[in-house]
Amino acid sequence: MTTPQQYQAPSADDFLMGGGVPSAKFPTLGTTVSGRITERPTVEQQRDFTTGELKFWDDGKPQMQLVVTLATNERDPENPEDDGARRLYVKGQMKNAVASAVRSAGARGLEVGGTLTVTYARDGQKSNPRFNAPKNFDAQYVPAAQNELNTPDPAPAPAGVPSAVPGLSQEQLAAAMANPATAALLQQQQAAAAAAQTPATAGADVPQF
């Protein structure tokens, strides 16, 4: 008989903040969960959803799952602190779909910075008429290195728009330029500064030859 795996404690951040990362959910056919992997995936033993007890196969071996944390665009409107992080529990047919996606991407496994997309694509065959049909998934994976290659370079600033202002970060500058009045003022200040640095030639004596 295999010895039950020890309970996996929550992360330090989850414990400190009194919560955990919400689970990714696939309530209806066609639901897609996608995002960049933010933590190194871990493997842990599955637990019964109702009782919380560790799960084993008939031969006594533990039923395992891969836990992947994604930064998604999802937000819970009832939770103002929801930052979009979702925890994906990869097991069963989903595991096969994710493994196939990783192989198709030419990768050796999931890594931090890669993008994983999982879609509830179809229903499988019922093994018991009393239960719902199992969910089958499709998956796509983009390795971290390819994500970096596909990240577009920042667009050059339009003519007359300052690319940097002393005392302002790029984020603050972008916010300021979104206001037409502030943008015009910054452009005027930049033009004045440029004029002050240009050697004055108007009115200078022209040498006679």
Side-chain angles (χ1 to χ4, degrees):
M1 182 72 177
T2 303
T3 302
Q5 180 172 313
Q6 292 288 333
Y7 168 69
Q8 182 169 355
S11 70
D13 289 339
D14 289 348
F15 178 78
L16 175 65
M17 303 309 293
V21 178
S23 300
K25 293 180 172 55
F26 299 89
T28 58
L29 192 66
T31 299
T32 295
V33 175
S34 180
R36 288 207 181 194
I37 299 172
T38 59
E39 301 177 9
R40 185 173 181 176
T42 59
V43 176
E44 65 179 37
Q45 189 170 353
Q46 298 179 36
R47 288 181 174 271
D48 185 274
F49 182 78
T50 303
T51 66
E53 295 181 354
L54 295 170
K55 298 178 67 174
F56 297 86
W57 298 107
D58 292 339
D59 61 1
K61 293 182 179 179
Q63 297 185 26
M64 309 303 289
Q65 61 188 355
L66 183 68
V67 184
V68 186
T69 304
L70 304 176
T72 75
N73 291 325
E74 298 183 20
R75 297 294 186 275
D76 182 354
E78 298 182 358
N79 180 9
E81 297 183 356
D82 186 358
D83 61 359
R86 293 295 183 271
R87 195 151 281 165
L88 190 65
Y89 295 90
V90 181
K91 54 190 175 183
Q93 188 274 334
M94 185 191 292
K95 175 178 175 291
N96 296 334
V98 171
S100 178
V102 170
R103 285 192 292 268
S104 296
R108 299 181 61 183
L110 300 176
E111 59 184 347
V112 174
T115 297
L116 180 62
T117 302
V118 176
T119 301
Y120 172 16
R122 67 195 71 83
D123 288 326
Q125 293 289 336
K126 283 187 177 183
S127 58
N128 189 321
R130 296 181 300 171
F131 301 119
N132 294 329
K135 297 176 180 180
N136 283 351
F137 300 89
D138 288 340
Q140 294 81 40
Y141 179 64
V142 180
Q146 187 174 338
N147 270 335
E148 293 300 325
L149 290 175
N150 292 339
T151 301
D153 293 332
V161 177
S163 59
V165 174
L168 291 183
S169 67
Q170 288 298 322
E171 291 78 8
Q172 292 171 327
L173 177 60
M177 295 304 296
N179 185 317
T182 305
L185 179 60
L186 288 175
Q187 291 175 21
Q188 291 175 3
Q189 292 176 344
Q190 186 186 44
Q197 295 175 358
T198 302
T201 58
D205 292 336
V206 178
Q208 301 294 324
F209 297 98

